[in-house]
Amino acid sequence: MMKRTFTLLALALGALVAGCDNVNTPRIIGDLQLVSGDGQTAPTGTQLPQPLVVRVIDDMGRGVEGVDIAWEGLIGNGTLSAASTRTGSDGQTSVRATPTVGGQSALTATIDEQIEGVFQVTFVMDGT
């Protein structure tokens, strides 16, 4: 009976360990993705209807929490709710934008950390 109990315990422990994601293993940033909010239009001085959302993923396609994103490019053409944001547990973060002049404007989101490579996405908005 003792051998059978030990075997079942070893199998259960092995299954538990195999299903764990080692949270101490550093994740390699794989990409910065534009999730939503591109191509919106709003009257000048009015906030765009949807937030501008990006997602940072690791080399395995999982969201990476705690990555700082720098938002810029609207100087003179609009305002942002924040110049920098940090990704949440799902790897996503967002800002709100308001065009202050008519016509198209571009906005970039860039990973604002010392990492190898440049990770940047561009949003386009239109003030009417």
Side-chain angles (χ1 to χ4, degrees):
M1 183 71 170
M2 179 75 122
K3 184 176 181 180
R4 181 176 172 188
T5 302
F6 179 73
T7 302
L8 289 173
L9 180 60
L11 288 172
L13 183 59
L16 178 64
V17 171
C20 288
D21 183 13
N22 187 349
V23 294
N24 295 323
T25 302
R27 292 184 174 178
I28 298 170
I29 293 180
D31 201 7
L32 174 64
Q33 302 172 325
L34 189 156
V35 174
S36 63
D38 190 31
Q40 296 182 71
T41 300
T44 301
T46 303
Q47 190 175 74
L48 295 175
Q50 301 296 317
L52 310 177
V53 183
V54 295
R55 181 175 187 233
V56 176
I57 58 170
D58 67 10
D59 57 338
M60 302 289 286
R62 300 171 294 191
V64 180
E65 181 177 8
V67 177
D68 292 324
I69 303 296
W71 300 87
E72 59 188 340
L74 287 177
I75 298 170
N77 295 328
T79 59
L80 294 169
S81 61
S84 180
T85 58
R86 181 168 286 178
T87 59
S89 60
D90 60 357
Q92 293 188 14
T93 188
S94 65
V95 294
R96 300 301 300 236
T98 303
T100 57
V101 297
Q104 272 194 351
S105 299
L107 163 77
T108 59
T110 307
I111 293 180
D112 193 24
E113 297 185 12
Q114 296 293 335
I115 59 172
E116 191 172 320
V118 176
F119 297 92
Q120 185 176 71
V121 296
T122 302
F123 292 85
V124 176
M125 70 173 188
D126 197 8
T128 58

